[in-house]
Amino acid sequence: DDEAEVTQGRRVRQQQPAVAVLKSKLKNGLTCSGPKVRSTLMGFFPVVRWLPKYKLKEYIWGDVMSGVIIGIILIPQAIAYCLLAGVPPIYGLYTSFYANIIYFLMGTSRHVSVGIFSLMSLMVGQVVVREVFQAGFDLNEDSTPSPHELFNDSLDLNFTRKPELTVELMGMQLGKDSYAITVAAAITFLAGVYQILMAVFQLGFVSIYLSAPMLDGFATGASVTILTVQAKYLLGLKIPRHQGYGTVVVTWFNIFANIHKTNLCDLITSAICITILVAGKEIQDRYKDRLKIPLPTELVVVAGATLASHFGEFNTRYHSSVSGHIPTGFTPPQVPAFSIMPQVALDAIPLAVISFAFTVSLSEMFAKKHGYSVRPNQEMVAIGLCNVVPSFFHCFTTSAALAKTMVKDSTGCQTQVSSLISALVVLLVLLFFAPYFQALQKCVLACIIIVSLRGALRKFRDVPAKWRASRMDTIVWLVAMSATALISVELGLLVGIVFSMSCIIYKTQNPKVSLLGRVDDIDLYEDVEEYKNLTAPSRVKIFRFQAPLYFANKNSFLKSLYKAVGVEPFLELTKRKKAEKKEKDKSKKQAKTNGETTNFDVFVGLVQKELEFHTIVLDCSAIPFIDSTGMATFKTLVKEYEEIGVSVLLACCNTSVIDVLQKGEFFGKNNKDISSLLFYTVHAAVLHANRAAEEKKAEDSVV
């Protein structure tokens, strides 16, 4: 029988009471035993699980090689990204050191490189500069005194220098640089706490709302902002970092307004450094198959520029801004300033979400590539502690970085032992070599940052290809990029998420709909507009709606159905009633003229228009779910079309849709009408419709 009940064979699902489930989970969660403690600790510190199984001969060479190379790359980047974060260079080295060690202990990915990331540094820097400005510090002030000024100080000739402003915080007097890192540590602590709370409450799903086009556009827009913020250093201009919205527009305006103050020494140095860095990157890209290790272009540029600046006395002779004194060793740990945290609590939210999203996505990407699994929740704990613990040691927010992770992968990294090696390389610099970078010009650091943005800025070339592949994704990319670049990074992220979600809602409110026809001599039905040689069934309309049916798109569903079948039941019924009344009035007038008495009730039903179809089959195969509004819409359809003599049948419903319809008694009490309303296949519904129409026609002819 083609119209078999679709509920036949459904398994009865035995659901335990919610209280019993909760008690069971609490019992499992609160019980304590030796094996459970051991398992929990090994889960919390994955290094305990994999390090004893470390294959020394097989893994050590790749890990040492990749660790040393990443360490060499980290040193100039750690110093450079402090320009973005608005803090002295030493703190970038601290951040790189602690983040690598903590992720080595707690991370589940074997290849991810966690540390300073340009986007995180930019977002931290915007908050730092805002708070420093609100504390009363002068943003125009170059906090690093020149050797000439230091010489004057030694002779007590410092009458030209203003007394340094300090702010009292936690019982200490803090200068501009100290206050800046205090703000950075506070926001980093909060971001880490948010990430750990997200892990505790299993809120990792938040990252699924960050679509790939939106994240890509956000990162590109942030790259434009980073380029803009660093451009002043290329020209040696000492202009303040803009506060508030429109950083890109205002900064470029200020740059061109002050272009006549360009420092030629910085300009020439920047041109030379960018040329060398770009040439090194191009050679690396062109001959990457032949080169076993990446070229240490950044380190070469930093070393060469530092020597040139030191022996050429660029700071004294040409007033070129330099990094200034970088101390060796470590500063004592300090509790983050809780008094600042209310001011930066909201700013830490996007930092936490973006840091987590990049870390987890990179972890999963490289785990899939190398055939192992990562635990997203543990990754969230790891990156959270990579922020919480270092915040006590004057560090700022960290994240996984794609470029360094790819370098680790390409240089033979096998495990996170490579992160430990990288930390040791940074430690050597911290203990012995940091002061040698004192003469390094800030424009050189800006060149390193700007050249590192090549990959992100090249995304603009891909826009035409993106547009051809998916217009909607391209629009999301453009909106996220534009909002991030033209408004602000934080609002750009919010605008990108909201717009991306709005596009999904728009798609469900305006889905593809189609009428179906039968493929020759087989029981398959497809879209008549998409495929050739399809035959529409006689006097049956088959309608497919390719979206969920819920409160937001109910009207769209009805409008598209009425348009597709060409008949709106309420209007059709109104037309029939008007035609019937007109016919009655005409007959009554004619009978009155002839002097006849007629029972006008005989005209009822005789003026009904013969429709082109007698049944509508709703193909529900592309409807993943419906809500109570969708169920009520189905009920209304059946009732209204029944009034004009048209049957409505459902086909290919999934079990969740069937469950909602049964709970709403769409099939009547005890599902008594389910066999005449619901069918496994479209073809079964068509056969039933034609058979029912023939039976009705036979009954009408008898009457």
Side-chain angles (χ1 to χ4, degrees):
D1 188 5
D2 289 322
E3 52 186 88
E5 273 190 40
V6 294
T7 53
Q8 184 178 357
R10 284 286 299 276
R11 296 179 183 274
V12 179
R13 289 177 293 180
Q14 296 291 337
Q15 291 187 346
Q16 291 184 336
V19 177
V21 173
L22 184 61
K23 283 182 178 178
S24 175
K25 286 187 176 181
L26 284 173
K27 184 179 178 182
N28 291 333
L30 297 176
T31 52
C32 185
S33 63
K36 188 167 184 180
V37 170
R38 185 169 175 269
S39 174
T40 303
L41 285 175
M42 290 179 74
F44 198 64
F45 295 100
V47 65
V48 179
R49 193 186 302 271
W50 61 262
L51 192 58
K53 302 175 184 176
Y54 189 80
K55 300 176 182 177
L56 190 64
K57 291 182 179 179
E58 187 177 341
Y59 293 164
I60 191 64
W61 173 247
D63 283 342
V64 169
M65 176 66 71
S66 63
V68 170
I69 290 169
I70 292 297
I72 291 170
I73 293 172
L74 269 176
I75 294 162
Q77 286 192 355
I79 298 171
Y81 287 162
C82 288
L83 280 183
L84 283 173
V87 297
I90 188 66
Y91 300 115
L93 295 170
Y94 289 162
T95 303
S96 299
F97 174 73
Y98 287 111
N100 274 285
I101 288 179
I102 294 170
Y103 194 81
F104 162 76
L105 296 171
M106 307 196 69
T108 59
S109 171
R110 301 175 193 170
H111 297 85
V112 159
S113 175
V114 171
I116 53 174
F117 182 38
S118 58
L119 180 55
M120 297 294 105
S121 302
L122 172 69
M123 295 173 74
V124 169
Q126 288 182 325
V127 179
V128 166
V129 173
R130 183 192 72 205
E131 294 300 319
V132 166
F133 177 74
Q134 290 178 355
F137 292 101
D138 184 6
L139 296 182
N140 278 302
E141 181 185 354
D142 191 348
S143 60
T144 306
S146 68
H148 181 66
E149 290 170 324
L150 292 173
F151 179 72
N152 284 345
D153 285 347
S154 65
L155 297 177
D156 288 328
L157 298 175
N158 57 349
F159 52 84
T160 58
R161 295 187 62 196
K162 298 177 183 178
E164 186 181 359
L165 175 69
T166 60
V167 173
E168 186 175 350
L169 192 68
M170 298 187 297
M172 296 181 292
Q173 293 295 325
L174 301 180
K176 180 181 173 183
D177 289 344
S178 299
Y179 188 74
I181 190 58
T182 302
V183 173
I187 193 173
T188 298
F189 176 82
L190 278 177
V193 168
Y194 291 159
Q195 288 167 332
I196 293 171
L197 289 175
M198 288 168 69
V200 169
F201 293 105
Q202 306 284 315
L203 297 179
F205 68 88
V206 171
S207 65
I208 66 175
Y209 296 107
L210 306 177
S211 66
M214 191 281 296
L215 271 180
D216 205 11
F218 171 71
T220 306
S223 299
V224 173
T225 306
I226 293 170
L227 170 65
T228 302
V229 169
Q230 297 304 300
K232 65 179 183 180
Y233 294 108
L234 301 184
L235 304 174
L237 299 177
K238 295 177 181 178
I239 55 178
R241 191 159 163 177
H242 174 67
Q243 294 300 301
Y245 305 132
T247 297
V248 170
V249 176
V250 175
T251 302
W252 281 113
F253 177 82
N254 289 336
I255 287 172
F256 285 111
N258 293 274
I259 198 78
H260 58 283
K261 299 178 183 177
T262 298
N263 186 308
L264 286 178
C265 176
D266 283 344
L267 180 61
I268 294 169
T269 303
S270 299
I272 294 171
C273 290
I274 287 178
T275 302
I276 295 172
L277 288 167
V278 171
K281 296 289 185 185
E282 290 297 326
I283 293 170
Q284 178 70 43
D285 291 344
R286 184 169 296 183
Y287 299 104
K288 60 184 176 182
D289 295 331
R290 298 182 187 178
L291 297 171
K292 293 184 178 180
I293 60 172
L295 297 174
T297 318
E298 288 94 343
L299 193 63
V300 170
V301 166
V302 165
T306 302
L307 291 172
S309 176
H310 176 72
F311 291 106
E313 298 180 349
F314 291 169
N315 183 224
T316 307
R317 290 184 180 180
Y318 309 109
H319 307 291
S320 180
S321 294
V322 295
S323 299
H325 178 62
I326 304 176
T328 55
F330 293 88
T331 56
Q334 185 178 348
V335 176
F338 290 101
S339 58
I340 298 178
M341 291 183 188
Q343 300 162 222
V344 298
L346 287 178
D347 299 295
I349 295 174
L351 271 171
V353 174
I354 293 297
S355 172
F356 157 69
F358 275 105
T359 302
V360 171
S361 60
L362 282 178
S363 299
E364 292 180 338
M365 181 197 306
F366 283 89
K368 188 180 293 184
K369 178 180 178 182
H370 292 279
Y372 63 93
S373 61
V374 294
R375 290 183 286 133
N377 222 51
Q378 177 61 24
E379 286 295 299
M380 207 182 317
V381 172
I383 197 65
L385 286 171
C386 281
N387 288 319
V388 169
V389 175
S391 68
F392 288 82
F393 297 89
H394 311 91
C395 300
F396 52 91
T397 315
T398 56
S399 167
L402 175 61
K404 290 192 284 290
T405 302
M406 291 181 71
V407 170
K408 280 184 78 168
D409 183 40
S410 64
T411 51
C413 171
Q414 299 292 331
T415 68
Q416 281 299 329
V417 167
S418 63
S419 294
L420 198 60
I421 302 296
S422 299
L424 291 175
V425 173
V426 175
L427 180 63
L428 285 175
V429 175
L430 279 169
L431 294 179
F432 303 108
F433 302 113
Y436 294 107
F437 295 106
Q438 177 175 342
L440 180 61
Q441 292 164 273
K442 289 184 178 179
C443 65
V444 177
L445 301 177
C447 292
I448 292 171
I449 294 171
I450 289 171
V451 172
S452 72
L453 302 174
R454 284 166 63 251
L457 296 175
R458 279 177 173 173
K459 297 289 177 67
F460 286 103
R461 297 191 311 187
D462 301 333
V463 171
K466 288 177 186 286
W467 182 261
R468 289 191 295 270
S470 172
R471 293 186 178 185
M472 185 69 78
D473 285 350
T474 309
I475 292 170
V476 169
W477 185 90
L478 288 170
V479 168
M481 184 276 300
S482 303
T484 304
L486 299 179
I487 305 175
S488 73
V489 175
E490 293 80 4
L491 270 182
L493 176 62
L494 182 61
V495 168
I497 293 172
V498 171
F499 186 76
S500 180
M501 297 299 295
S502 300
C503 289
I504 298 300
I505 295 171
Y506 174 80
K507 282 184 177 181
T508 63
Q509 288 184 321
N510 298 274
K512 181 174 175 57
V513 297
S514 51
L515 287 176
L516 308 186
R518 186 181 179 186
V519 182
D520 294 340
D521 299 326
I522 58 174
D523 302 342
L524 179 66
Y525 292 78
E526 268 303 340
D527 187 347
V528 293
E529 292 183 357
E530 298 290 342
Y531 296 94
K532 299 177 181 178
N533 303 321
L534 299 182
T535 306
S538 175
R539 303 198 65 198
V540 176
K541 298 283 188 181
I542 307 170
F543 178 76
R544 177 185 288 166
F545 185 76
Q546 300 183 33
L549 180 56
Y550 64 114
F551 67 93
N553 66 356
K554 175 196 75 170
N555 292 333
S556 173
F557 170 78
L558 291 173
K559 285 179 183 178
S560 57
L561 174 62
Y562 296 153
K563 184 178 179 181
V565 301
V567 176
E568 188 170 345
F570 178 75
L571 294 180
E572 178 65 22
L573 193 61
T574 304
K575 286 179 186 177
R576 290 185 182 185
K577 286 180 178 178
K578 285 182 179 179
E580 189 175 296
K581 184 180 179 184
K582 185 177 179 182
E583 192 67 27
K584 277 186 180 182
D585 292 343
K586 182 180 177 182
S587 299
K588 189 184 289 187
K589 187 176 180 181
Q590 186 177 356
K592 191 175 181 182
T593 303
N594 297 334
E596 298 174 0
T597 57
T598 309
N599 182 9
F600 297 105
D601 291 337
V602 298
F603 292 102
V604 177
L606 295 181
V607 293
Q608 291 185 7
K609 173 186 169 186
E610 184 72 16
L611 296 175
E612 296 178 358
F613 58 94
H614 54 68
T615 303
I616 298 173
V617 176
L618 300 178
D619 178 7
C620 301
S621 58
I623 300 179
F625 67 87
I626 64 172
D627 64 357
S628 57
T629 304
M631 185 270 299
T633 303
F634 279 162
K635 273 188 174 181
T636 304
L637 275 181
V638 172
K639 182 181 177 183
E640 289 184 350
Y641 273 107
E642 191 176 16
E643 290 177 351
I644 60 171
V646 175
S647 300
V648 177
L649 308 178
L650 307 184
C652 305
C653 294
N654 64 47
T655 54
S656 65
V657 172
I658 294 171
D659 290 341
V660 173
L661 294 174
Q662 286 179 327
K663 289 174 183 176
E665 295 189 345
F666 174 78
F667 305 114
K669 289 187 178 180
N670 299 320
N671 300 323
K672 61 184 179 64
D673 298 325
I674 193 168
S675 61
S676 59
L677 290 174
L678 186 62
F679 299 87
Y680 277 118
T681 64
V682 171
H683 189 62
V686 171
L687 292 177
H688 173 84
N690 288 330
R691 189 157 49 245
E694 289 173 5
E695 291 172 359
K696 186 178 179 183
K697 186 176 180 181
E699 290 175 5
D700 291 344
S701 63
V702 170
V703 173

